[in-house]
Structures are given as C-alpha cells and as structure tokens.
Amino acid sequence: LDGSPVAAPCNFADIPRGKWYAAAVDWATASGVVSGVDATHFAPDATVTREQIAALLYRYAIYKGYDTTQTAALTFSDAAQVSAFAEQPLRWALGMGFVSGRGGGILAPLDGAKRAEVASIFMRFAGLYGKEIG
C-alpha cells in the first residue's frame, strides 16, 4: 500500500540482509507497523495469527493517520485468549468489519490466519481506504 520505501536495516538477528523480505521488514519495523517476537528476533518463518494481522493493520492505520476510534466489544467465548497487545487492534478490526468470528461464538485470536482470511481482510481494509491491492 505504501510502495517500496527504503528504511535503515532493522536489528533482528534472524533477518539476513539480501533476503527477499528484508527491506519490507526494515520499513515496517522503522514505521512502527511491526515489532519482533522479542527484542532481537522477528521470526520470519512463523505463522501469523489472527490477532497479529489485526495488530499489523491497526498500527498501519495509525501510521497513515486513519481514524481508529470505531471499535466493537470482544463478546466471543474465547475473548480471554486475546493477548494484551492485540485487544485494542482486535476491537478496532471487528468494529471496522475487517475481521469476524469463525462461527460458534469464537474469535480464534491465536489461530494461524488462513491465506483466504488474510486476502479478505486486506481487501476489506484496502477497499475502505480507497486503495487497490495488486
């Protein structure tokens, strides 16, 4: 959505220079859109969770200056599983309609995000903000 801006290299030990994703991680880290799994590791090969997707989009919306005040309650039976860092981003993503539960009253915040879910979430996000992905 932001093109290919250049940023200083990040300090994650597991992001080798020259990897196809290194420049994207550099920019996303410098802009505050992503953080590592700890101070020195990004875990580039780990599966992204549903709550992490919400946090990424929430931080990107803040980075862009978009309104992030619309929220919804976490009324799912598994709401206690939501990590502290993801509570506000998930409330926002639910309120905006970017994410929804998986049925049966569950949100599944710690489950891996399916490729179809990620595509749908990104399309809803981009559609709201007038961007075309692709």
Side-chain angles (χ1 to χ4, degrees):
L1 293 175
D2 257 29
S4 298
V6 177
C10 63
N11 293 322
F12 295 124
D14 57 354
I15 302 296
R17 297 293 100 208
K19 280 290 203 178
W20 62 270
Y21 53 79
V25 174
D26 293 341
W27 173 84
T29 301
S31 66
V33 172
V34 300
S35 58
V37 295
D38 62 37
T40 59
H41 296 91
F42 184 74
D45 295 320
T47 300
V48 66
T49 65
R50 290 168 48 84
E51 69 179 13
Q52 289 170 338
I53 291 286
L56 291 168
L57 288 178
Y58 180 74
R59 292 180 197 139
Y60 183 74
I62 290 170
Y63 165 79
K64 294 297 283 184
Y66 299 153
D67 181 8
T68 58
T69 59
Q70 184 170 332
T71 61
L74 295 175
T75 58
F76 299 89
S77 62
D78 58 352
Q81 294 178 5
V82 174
S83 301
F85 79 88
E87 185 174 334
Q88 184 61 26
L90 273 171
R91 289 178 185 278
W92 168 77
L94 286 162
M96 297 298 291
F98 300 143
V99 299
S100 60
R102 281 208 169 145
I106 65 167
L107 182 59
L110 302 177
D111 283 6
K114 296 177 182 176
R115 292 170 58 91
E117 289 176 315
V118 173
S120 294
I121 291 167
F122 277 36
M123 290 303 294
R124 289 181 202 125
F125 179 88
L128 181 70
Y129 294 111
K131 298 282 185 180
E132 198 171 302
I133 297 177

